[in-house]
Amino acid sequence: MTGALNGPANGPLNGAINAAELPTGILLAAGYGRRFDAAGQRNKLLATLPDGHTVAGRSARTLAGVLPGALAVIRPGNAALAAELRQAGCRVLETAAAEAGMGAALAAAVAATPDARGWVVALADMPWLPAELVRAVALTITTRDAIAAPWRDGQRGHPVGFGAAWREALLKLDGDEGARELLKTQPVMRILTDDEGAFRDVDTPGDLA
C-alpha cells in the first residue's frame, strides 16, 4: 500500500536532522544530453541559468546543502564538470561504468557508499528542485525498507529516497532505466507537493529560461 505525506512543511518533517542519521545524497550527472545538443559540443549541465549558476552547480548546491558529502557521478573526461560539482560542495565519482546509463551510474554510487544509511537520488539536470523537498525525502526514509518520492497528480517526481535495505537491489541496476522498475513494484511513500521543481528538468536550450 502506498502512503502519502502532505508536503515537506508538515509534522515531523520540520524537525532537526541528526547528522549521524543522514542518508547519502547521490547526484546523477553522467548523462549525454543529446536532446540538448545532438552534436555533443555543449554539455547541458554546464549551461548557464538566468541567475548565473550552471545547471549542475545549482543542482549540486541544493543537494549538498541538505546532505553534506553528497556524491556526484560523472563519466570520465569531464574535468570542467567535476570542478563545478566540487565547487558546489559535492564529492565526485568519475567512473566508466556510468557510460552504460543512469542505472549503472546509480549502482556505482551505491557501491562507493557501503556505509550509507540510505540514499537520496537527485538528477543534475533538475536545477529548480527545492531544498525543502530534498529534506522531506531524507526525513521520510527513516526505516531501512522505506522508499519515498515527491508526488503530484499521479506523477512521481524527484528526488527519490531509498532506505539502506535496498542496497543489493540498487547494486543490480544497469543500463539507462535507473530504478524505474524497482519503483513500479514496491510501495513508495508519496510526499505530496505542488512545487514544479520536483518535475522540471533541462532537456533543450529552451528549457533554461
Side-chain angles (χ1 to χ4, degrees):
M1 185 175 183
T2 303
L5 298 176
N6 265 323
N10 290 344
L13 299 185
N14 275 331
I17 300 179
N18 182 341
E21 298 178 356
L22 283 173
T24 296
I26 294 177
L27 188 69
L28 299 180
Y32 287 92
R34 293 188 177 95
R35 290 184 60 190
F36 189 87
D37 179 9
Q41 300 301 308
R42 297 178 62 199
N43 187 333
K44 71 176 180 179
L45 298 182
L46 294 175
T48 303
L49 297 163
D51 64 2
H53 291 103
T54 64
V55 173
R58 184 166 170 180
S59 300
R61 281 184 178 85
T62 299
L63 185 63
V66 178
L67 300 173
L71 182 66
V73 189
I74 67 172
R75 291 177 283 111
N78 287 278
L81 177 58
E84 185 75 7
L85 293 165
R86 289 191 179 100
Q87 184 177 4
C90 283
R91 297 177 295 142
V92 175
L93 173 63
E94 186 174 333
T95 173
E99 295 176 347
M102 188 182 300
L106 177 52
V110 171
T113 53
D115 298 324
R117 292 178 175 268
W119 300 270
V120 175
V121 184
L123 306 183
D125 65 352
M126 297 185 69
W128 299 281
L129 177 66
E132 290 81 4
L133 277 177
V134 176
R135 178 184 175 88
V137 171
L139 286 170
T140 302
I141 55 168
T142 54
T143 59
R144 287 179 51 82
D145 60 349
I147 300 177
W151 216 273
R152 182 186 66 184
D153 298 332
Q155 181 184 6
R156 177 179 54 78
H158 292 276
V160 179
F162 298 91
W166 296 104
R167 175 177 167 80
E168 293 303 318
L170 295 173
L171 287 173
K172 293 176 182 177
L173 297 178
D174 198 5
D176 202 36
E177 281 299 302
R180 290 187 191 124
E181 288 305 314
L182 178 61
L183 293 168
K184 287 178 182 177
T185 59
Q186 301 298 331
V188 178
M189 289 297 297
R190 299 181 177 186
I191 300 170
L192 304 182
T193 182
D194 290 322
D195 198 305
E196 184 65 20
F199 307 90
R200 181 183 176 190
D201 63 2
V202 175
D203 271 340
T204 68
D207 294 330
L208 295 170

